[in-house]
Amino acid sequence: MRIVIMGPKGAGKSTVGAAFAACAGLPCVDTDTIIEDIAAESGGARRTFREIFQQDGEAAFRALERQAAQRAAGLDWHVIITGGGLMLDPDSRRALRTGNVIIVYLWAPAEVLWPRAILKGTPPWLEGPDGPAKFAEQVKFRDEVLRPF
């Protein structure tokens, strides 16, 4: 059994996932941490997922993200917190939906999510004056693709 928490950046995946895991007595893992682990295993200094994205580019980051989804799919009795874009990839989505799994989709309007999304710094793909508009489009697109009904 896995419980996968997904949703756009700023939706509260980490907060809700960690709180639920603590209440349920389950281990909690974040796919961004798994990405960092995989990158560190392949050599070099440990970097944050943001640094990996900035330094290696989106394509390399998404490849690591797919590997992280595969690794997380092998964890039983865990709460798995996904990165905001991970479930957009069909292979990652398929890996995490296979087997005995509960998917939890967290969502809020873009205007609520934006301040949360930039709290620890603006993600590189959202920098610039059109960042909030790009973010709103991402939230809308992800909701269209991922909403479970």
Side-chain angles (χ1 to χ4, degrees):
M1 161 74 79
R2 288 183 316 280
I3 299 164
V4 177
I5 311 290
M6 67 175 195
K9 185 166 187 56
K13 299 180 300 287
S14 297
T15 301
V16 170
F20 177 78
C23 288
L26 294 173
C28 184
V29 64
D30 191 311
T31 58
D32 287 337
T33 302
I34 297 173
I35 289 168
E36 294 167 359
D37 293 343
I38 293 169
E41 289 165 9
S42 52
R46 185 168 184 91
R47 299 178 290 161
T48 67
F49 68 94
R50 282 178 187 258
E51 291 169 331
I52 294 166
F53 189 99
Q54 289 174 322
Q55 295 167 10
D56 300 351
E58 184 173 3
F61 179 83
R62 297 299 176 201
L64 289 171
E65 198 172 52
R66 278 188 291 284
Q67 291 177 46
Q70 290 292 330
R71 190 174 287 187
L75 300 173
D76 205 15
W77 293 104
H78 276 70
V79 173
I80 299 166
I81 301 164
T82 68
L86 182 140
M87 295 296 272
L88 291 176
D89 176 72
D91 293 332
S92 297
R93 192 168 54 246
R94 193 174 301 111
L96 289 174
R97 284 183 171 171
T98 301
N100 194 10
V101 62
I102 296 171
I103 305 275
V104 178
Y105 178 66
L106 300 180
W107 182 87
E111 59 271 12
V112 171
L113 296 173
W114 176 251
R116 297 179 192 173
I118 62 170
L119 196 58
K120 295 179 184 174
T122 304
W125 60 94
L126 295 174
E127 290 176 346
D130 59 343
K134 276 191 209 174
F135 182 72
E137 281 300 311
Q138 283 184 353
V139 169
K140 181 180 175 189
F141 176 75
R142 289 173 180 179
D143 190 53
E144 289 172 3
V145 172
L146 299 175
R147 186 172 287 273
F149 52 86

